[in-house]
Each structure stands twice: as C-alpha cells, then as structure tokens.
Amino acid sequence: MPSTVYTSCTLATMEPGSAPYGLVEDGAIAVDDGAIAWVGAVDSLPSEYAACERVDLGGALVTPALIDCHTHLVFGGDRSREFALRLGGASYEEIARSGGGIRSTVQATRAASDEVLLASALRRVDDLLADGVGTIEVKSGYGLTVEHEMRMLRIAREIERHRPVHIRTTWLAAHALPPEYENRADAYVDEVAIAGLERAHAEGLVDAVDAFCEGIGFTPAQVRRVFEQARELGLPVKLHAEQLSDLKGAVLAAEFDALSSDHLEYLAEEDVAVLAEKGTVAVLLPGAFYALGETQLPPLAALRREGVAMALATDCNPGSSPLSSLRLAMNMGCVQFGLTPEEALAGTTRHAARALGLEDECGIVAPGRRADFAVWDAPHPDFLSYWIGGRLLRGRVVAGEYHDA
Ligand code: DI6
Ligand code: FE
C-alpha cells in the first residue's frame, strides 16, 4: 500500500525524553500499511515520501490515539437509583452489602440479550471515541457464571466488528460473589473464577486477568489462587487494589509481575517502591473517587518520586464511575489528584499502553508503532486536560485509516 503523509500539524508524540509532550512543530507523519513509517518536522521529510499522497491537517494538534485501559463498559441496566441513595447518605459498601451494587448489575446483565448488551456498550464506546480513544480495555465481572462471563467477553470483542477501535478483554470473574454462592466464596473462586478462566482462555477470549481485592470483594488469598491459574496459563494479571482499604493487594499483584494495580487510594507509602521495582503501572481512576465522594487520595508524591508510571482511565461502570469521557478523567486527574496536564496525557497514552502490555504497539507516535492517532482542534496539549466537555476532536486515525469525529 503506498504511504500517506499527514502534514501541517503540531505533534505531541509523547515520546519520553526531549521536549515536553515530545512536541514537534510543523510536523509530518508518514503512514505505511497501517503503521507509522516516519515522524518528524516536515522540513526533514525523507525524499522517498516526497511523491506520496498528502493530507493537510491545517495546523491541528496530533496526539497518540487515547487508550482507556480500565473499563467495565459491557453491562445491563443502570444504577441511577443508587446514586440518589448515596446522595441521601447511604455508602457504596452499605448498598453493596444489602444486595444492591454490583449484584444488581449482575441481575440486569444476565437478563439482557446479547443484542441489548452490545447496543448499550456501543453507546458508551461512541462517547469514548468522541474523546479520541483508539484502544479500550473491557472487563467481564457482571455475569458471574462461567457462561455469562464468557458471553460478556465475546460481546466486548464484538465491538471491534462495529467500530474502528482496538479492544482488549480482561477476565474479572472475581469481581463479586453472586447470590447462589453466598458464604461459599472459595467454591466460587474454584468453580467460576478459576475453572471459567481456563475455558475462556481456551476460546481465546482473555488478554489479562483481574480481581477485586477488597472487603466487599475477594481476599488476597483468593486472589492469589486466581493469579496462580493465570500464571499457569501464561496470562498477565492486574488488580483492583487498595480502592476502599489497604489489603496489600498491590504488593500481591507485584509478586505476580502485574501489568498494573488500579485505584490505589489506600496504597501505603512504603508499598510504592515495589511497584517501581516491578514496573507495575499505577492506574488512577478519579471518576470513582469523585462519584463516591472519597477523600483519601492516592499517594501521588511517592508514586512520582519512585518513578512509577501512572495511567488514567475512566473505570466506566454503572456503579462507582458512571463516566464515559476519558478527557474528563484527565481533567479530574489534574484537579483532584494533582497530576500535571502532561502527566495526564502520558497517563492516557504511553502509560496506558503499558498497563495493557501494548507498549510496543501503541501509546506514542513513533516509527514502527501502529498508526493510531487523534487529530484535535486545540491550541496546545494542555488544552485536552484543561477544557471540560466540548467537541475538540476533529478525527482519529486507527490502524492507518482516517475517521472523522
Ligand atoms: N471497583 C470499581 O470501582 C468497580 N468495580 C470494582 O471492582 C465498581 C463496579 C460497580 O460498582 O458496579
Ligand atoms: Fe474497575
């Protein structure tokens, strides 16, 4: 396929090192066969690209396509009623313990047809695409039987057939205990979380394995058993850790060379070093922090000091984070957690790619990476975190194909 050269743009390549944001003024990107072949200032475009088709971007800002590395966006029903209850004083944990919360979404998800689940997921996907997203991670966790968990991942994979976006799927059967396993959590772990993982993996449905390590979720000992199975199958792990309390989940995940530990509001300062040592990404989820009215902040200064890569994601889910804008998550990461706008963009590009084990494929605009980038009407990359709402996106290039916003 002949190359296409995109010109007349400011490039925020997000390559670490040199300039802030890896900025290149008056930049050009040569795309060949769905991959980036060359990146730089248009003045130094190699002569071999001189005769290629050119696309003038009219001075737009170009960033890597954003990556939402933590979502639960396939689910049935909604939980707006719970939102009202929480505003009236009930806590997230109280609602969960009284049979609401995740369990109510499980009921609605099991009852919904494949078509209804896919159609509602696509609405949330479209919201994300309008924010320049090119890759989305989607977790299971609202089926809680082997069949229903596998169905969720099949539907997640189906999204790629309907929209220009890359999907990564995560097995999260250890999300909540379904009513039929009341007081039998260990049996659930064996019969659904572990046995189902084997089946889902055999069908090629699993890119990574996750669990909810929490008082209202699963104990570290139970999570360890799920992770041992993942290791046996050669699958990478990640963990919902230290969201509501400190169970040392992040330390456990690091022991299994986790791609990421996610949430981390209650991560102890002394446990930050182990993330740095293992190269585990800290995925921060300010949407859940905001929507649950939390006050305990993740240990940002220590994460930064130790050089832990920090990603940002929506955690898009019907309970704790009814959020389908990754740019709003970036704004919240800055305003609530104290990230800089550059850290926020690194958190939804380069570091988000690492949180999915995709650092060699996407997350920066560089030769050899997939041609996934977002084209914005924005004067500077700070603007993407600064401006709340609006339609900043002009278009997305996904695997070398241009799609208008
Ligand atoms: N932590 C979360 O924030 C979501 N899951 C999890 O393990 C919440 C999911 C829900 O409330 O439906
Ligand atoms: Fe989550």
Side-chain angles (χ1 to χ4, degrees):
M1 196 202 288
S3 306
T4 303
V5 179
Y6 292 87
T7 62
S8 305
C9 54
T10 298
L11 286 172
T13 65
M14 298 315 286
E15 279 244 58
S18 52
Y21 290 103
L23 271 183
V24 179
E25 298 294 342
D26 210 358
I29 307 173
V31 172
D32 201 356
D33 206 12
I36 297 172
W38 184 88
V39 179
V42 70
D43 288 350
S44 41
L45 186 72
S47 54
E48 61 190 284
Y49 299 110
C52 296
E53 182 206 355
R54 291 213 179 190
V55 179
D56 186 315
L57 294 175
L61 172 71
V62 170
T63 67
L66 305 191
I67 298 168
D68 195 348
C69 67
H70 180 142
T71 85
H72 310 245
L73 63 70
V74 173
F75 60 82
D78 75 280
R79 306 234 293 274
S80 50
R81 189 63 211 126
E82 264 178 35
F83 174 61
L85 288 174
R86 283 206 311 277
L87 292 174
S91 78
Y92 180 72
E93 281 155 302
E94 279 161 13
I95 292 169
R97 290 190 194 284
S98 65
I102 295 175
R103 275 190 185 185
S104 74
T105 298
V106 170
Q107 212 175 10
T109 304
R110 287 178 179 176
S113 67
D114 292 5
E115 292 69 28
V116 164
L117 287 179
L118 178 63
S120 74
L122 287 175
R123 282 203 294 277
R124 298 181 274 275
V125 167
D126 286 338
D127 292 345
L128 292 174
L129 301 193
D131 263 354
V133 169
T135 300
I136 304 172
E137 184 256 17
V138 183
K139 301 174 194 295
S140 69
Y142 292 123
L144 309 187
T145 67
V146 174
E147 274 312 324
H148 278 288
E149 288 288 294
M150 289 175 63
R151 179 171 84 116
M152 284 190 69
L153 295 188
R154 284 188 210 109
I155 290 168
R157 289 276 176 93
E158 181 74 17
I159 291 167
E160 276 187 344
R161 285 206 272 241
H162 296 264
R163 296 292 186 274
V165 66
H166 308 285
I167 299 291
R168 301 295 282 183
T169 47
T170 300
W171 179 257
L172 175 61
H175 191 202
L177 198 62
E180 62 272 20
Y181 277 95
E182 189 78 59
N183 299 319
R184 295 191 300 129
D186 282 313
Y188 175 79
V189 168
D190 288 331
E191 293 163 21
V192 180
I194 293 177
L197 172 57
E198 235 182 306
R199 279 188 49 199
H201 173 62
E203 200 179 306
L205 288 172
V206 184
D207 295 314
V209 177
D210 193 351
F212 187 28
C213 187
E214 196 59 65
I216 54 169
F218 293 85
T219 65
Q222 289 160 344
V223 172
R224 174 180 293 279
R225 293 198 292 119
V226 176
F227 281 3
E228 276 164 358
Q229 180 66 38
R231 181 186 269 166
E232 184 103 342
L233 298 171
L235 291 167
V237 303
K238 41 181 58 243
L239 189 63
H240 283 72
E242 276 75 88
Q243 179 185 5
L244 307 168
S245 60
D246 182 11
L247 297 187
K248 304 290 172 200
V251 175
L252 170 67
E255 189 188 323
F256 284 83
D257 300 307
L259 290 172
S260 69
S261 272
D262 303 37
H263 285 288
L264 300 178
E265 281 84 344
Y266 285 82
L267 178 67
E269 294 233 354
E270 68 264 24
D271 294 332
V272 171
V274 70
L275 295 182
E277 206 177 291
K278 291 294 192 135
T280 302
V281 178
V283 177
L284 306 179
L285 303 166
F289 173 89
Y290 167 81
L292 297 181
E294 295 288 336
T295 52
Q296 170 86 22
L297 288 164
L300 238 286
L303 290 165
R304 208 182 259 140
R305 191 173 59 239
E306 296 286 341
V308 175
M310 294 181 280
L312 275 174
T314 60
D315 196 12
C316 177
N317 77 67
S320 65
S321 191
L323 170 65
S324 54
S325 165
L326 190 53
R327 276 210 313 107
L328 182 51
M330 289 163 65
N331 175 269
M332 289 175 168
C334 294
V335 174
Q336 301 186 116
F337 290 175
L339 295 178
T340 66
E342 187 176 355
E343 285 174 325
L345 188 58
T348 54
T349 56
R350 188 171 80 236
H351 296 160
R354 246 183 78 186
L356 298 178
L358 297 178
E359 61 272 33
D360 295 331
E361 286 177 40
C362 54
I364 58 175
V365 178
R369 298 305 204 285
R370 203 162 53 210
D372 285 0
F373 45 89
V375 182
W376 306 93
D377 278 319
H380 187 275
D382 285 348
F383 201 91
L384 303 177
S385 292
Y386 147 77
W387 197 261
I388 303 169
R391 293 162 180 250
L392 306 187
L393 189 77
R394 207 183 276 184
R396 297 175 313 131
V397 173
V398 178
E401 295 286 327
Y402 187 88
H403 304 274
D404 270 322

